[in-house]
Amino acid sequence: MMIYRVIVCCVYGRFHTLLTARREEGNGMQLFQIAKEHRGTVLKFQVNQFALALFSLMVFVFTMQNKFTMFFCGLFTMAFYWYLIYHLMWNIGGKDRIRVDGGRAKKILWKGFYIGLLANLFNLLLAVMNLVYYYTGISWLRLGNIIARLWESMYAGWWQLFMPHNPLAHFLVVLPTVFVAGAAYLIGYHNIFLSSFLGIKPKPAKHR
């Protein structure tokens, strides 16, 4: 009986280890597959951010002398950036819903958050460089702060007003972007139009 228990425990332990390893391997492959599939989406994130960063930098230069205009123009540049992300991820969520319903893809509701995180890896790197520079003073890490202020200039107005010397400010750039990306994907996946809450009905698609 003792030998039987030992054999059962060994077999169960081995089987459990194998299932856990396969599950972790499957999750890893799933993350890799999403990253591979949405390389173009991540690139669109970067293009949108680059274009809006140039526009926001010009806006900041012309409004930096007046706190009132800096506040509202800064709010506009941030909101416009989030809208671009929302529009991009809403469409991806809607397309994925069609694929899932057709049995051509798996239902992954956290996909939008993951794509948003992938698209913000460079922003995270800049945030880490800025934080380390703030506490260590390593000269070459100052480059991260300079690049971040240019690359993330859609937030420049509010940085200047509310947290000009906060070392965590650049981390706060990532959070709303990832949230908007994930929320927009879910809203698009469920085919919800935010304009409907304002009483604006979307135009029906024309059938050819």
Side-chain angles (χ1 to χ4, degrees):
M1 182 63 69
M2 183 64 68
I3 297 176
Y4 173 77
R5 289 182 179 180
V6 172
I7 293 175
V8 170
C9 290
C10 290
V11 172
Y12 174 79
R14 180 61 179 171
F15 183 67
H16 178 72
T17 303
L18 181 62
L19 284 179
T20 303
R22 285 186 176 275
R23 190 181 300 116
E24 292 176 353
E25 181 182 358
N27 291 338
M29 287 299 296
Q30 189 176 57
L31 294 176
F32 176 77
Q33 187 63 33
I34 294 174
K36 182 179 179 181
E37 178 184 354
H38 288 280
R39 287 176 297 180
T41 304
V42 172
L43 180 60
K44 288 180 182 178
F45 265 82
Q46 309 309 317
V47 172
N48 286 342
Q49 184 167 349
F50 175 75
L52 197 58
L54 292 178
F55 171 74
S56 301
L57 188 60
M58 291 187 292
V59 171
F60 175 71
V61 170
F62 285 107
T63 61
M64 61 187 303
Q65 301 299 328
N66 188 301
K67 292 184 178 181
F68 181 80
T69 55
M70 186 189 297
F71 176 88
F72 285 102
C73 288
L75 182 62
F76 168 76
T77 55
M78 289 189 300
F80 187 55
Y81 175 55
W82 295 333
Y83 169 76
L84 294 177
I85 297 171
Y86 172 84
H87 184 266
L88 176 62
M89 295 304 300
W90 192 98
N91 287 326
I92 293 175
K95 291 177 182 178
D96 278 1
R97 178 59 180 267
I98 296 174
R99 294 170 59 202
V100 170
D101 289 346
R104 292 179 286 114
K106 292 182 178 180
K107 182 179 179 180
I108 309 174
L109 294 180
W110 48 264
K111 188 176 183 179
F113 296 100
Y114 179 59
I115 295 174
L117 184 61
L118 286 176
N120 278 272
L121 289 179
F122 184 59
N123 291 330
L124 278 174
L125 175 62
L126 294 176
V128 171
M129 291 177 65
N130 183 64
L131 183 66
V132 175
Y133 168 73
Y134 183 85
Y135 287 107
T136 64
I138 300 175
S139 58
W140 66 270
L141 289 176
R142 180 177 171 78
L143 181 64
N145 180 269
I146 297 172
I147 295 175
R149 290 189 174 276
L150 296 174
W151 182 247
E152 301 164 356
S153 56
M154 64 284 294
Y155 298 94
W158 279 39
W159 277 343
Q160 189 66 25
L161 289 173
F162 301 113
M163 42 187 173
H165 305 295
N166 190 336
L168 300 177
H170 296 284
F171 285 100
L172 300 179
V173 170
V174 177
L175 295 178
T177 306
V178 174
F179 174 78
V180 171
Y185 178 88
L186 291 174
I187 294 171
Y189 185 87
H190 293 287
N191 198 33
I192 299 173
F193 294 87
L194 293 184
S195 58
S196 62
F197 293 99
L198 302 176
I200 303 173
K201 295 182 179 180
K203 295 180 179 180
K206 296 181 179 180
H207 298 283
R208 296 183 178 179

